[in-house]
Amino acid sequence: MNEKTQKLLSVLKLQPVVPVLIVEDAKSAVPLARALVEGGLKAIEITLRTPAALDAIRAVAQEVEGAVTGAGTILNALHYEDAVEAGAQFIVSPGATGELLDVADDHEASFLPGAATPSEIMGLLEEGYEVMKFFPAEQAGGAAYLKALSSPFAGTLFCPTGGISLKNAKDYLSLPNVVCIGGSWVAPKDLVAAGDWAGITQLAREAFELRG
């Protein structure tokens, strides 16, 4: 296992659930991240799906003690470089391209590339990646599909994301090839809009305790 893989695992093993956030207003990013960290969820993925995302990453990286700030929905080299410049310590993509793999080699930030088929997994293994995002998890076949991958791809670990909630989280976390899961349910839009940070901390605690 190479140094970058070990570094990535040290982040993913901090907690059973990595919050996957779509931040509409950068001003909410810091109190939101603080609420998640207080609930035990230190590694936080802020997706590049809104104009506020990079400012949110920058604010959390600079102002939230204990947070390990990540950037998600990274689709190209420019996204990758912008996220790293903003302070992202780990980078997550729904897939993997040659361009992304090349830029990942040039940066210290850990990279979690996405894969959903045996061929995609094999391609990433050839590139030296042993830890991958499985996306979209439920739509691609769910926990049963991922379990079926554990035998031919023994030693490969996944962070499944997409369609996962509190109801089915343990179906994934019980699998031997799952290191953690990604989920957005710990930061619902209504609680964020209301500034109910205590409510989000409670959801984060429930998620943190899932591993049991």
Side-chain angles (χ1 to χ4, degrees):
M1 186 178 295
N2 63 44
E3 185 178 343
K4 279 194 172 181
T5 300
Q6 291 176 340
K7 185 178 176 183
L8 176 61
L9 282 175
S10 72
V11 172
L12 299 182
K13 287 182 176 180
L14 287 171
Q15 61 218 42
V17 181
V18 175
V20 179
L21 308 180
I22 299 175
V23 179
E24 301 288 352
D25 182 356
K27 292 179 182 177
S28 69
V30 167
L32 172 56
R34 285 179 176 150
L36 292 167
V37 170
E38 185 178 345
L41 305 184
K42 297 180 179 181
I44 299 168
E45 177 189 335
I46 298 173
T47 61
L48 264 66
R49 300 185 190 182
T50 69
L54 289 172
D55 286 338
I57 291 168
R58 188 173 290 107
V60 172
Q62 292 176 354
E63 300 179 37
V64 182
E65 185 177 353
V68 181
T69 313
T73 318
I74 301 300
L75 305 181
N76 54 52
L78 181 60
H79 282 173
Y80 200 114
E81 290 169 346
D82 285 347
V84 170
E85 188 276 331
Q89 295 171 260
F90 67 99
I91 303 292
V92 185
S93 177
T97 64
E99 179 187 39
L100 276 174
L101 296 174
D102 286 345
V103 74
D105 286 341
D106 295 334
H107 289 86
E108 290 300 314
S110 304
F111 182 41
L112 181 66
T117 68
S119 293
E120 290 170 354
I121 294 166
M122 291 164 67
L124 285 171
L125 286 171
E126 284 186 358
E127 296 290 336
Y129 286 88
E130 302 171 63
V131 185
M132 307 169 196
K133 174 175 179 170
F134 175 58
F135 178 85
E138 279 293 283
Q139 296 82 352
Y145 178 93
L146 197 51
K147 182 179 180 180
L149 295 175
S150 65
S151 181
F153 298 109
T156 304
L157 295 174
F158 297 92
C159 173
T161 305
I164 301 179
S165 67
L166 191 61
K167 292 181 180 179
N168 60 0
K170 286 193 175 181
D171 294 341
Y172 290 92
L173 289 170
S174 64
L175 298 178
N177 57 345
V178 168
V179 62
C180 65
I181 59 177
S184 59
W185 84 86
V186 293
K189 287 183 179 181
D190 57 338
L191 295 191
V192 174
D196 186 356
W197 311 125
I200 287 173
T201 292
Q202 181 57 37
L203 291 175
R205 286 200 181 101
E206 292 174 358
F208 183 76
E209 293 167 1
L210 277 171
R211 185 74 75 178

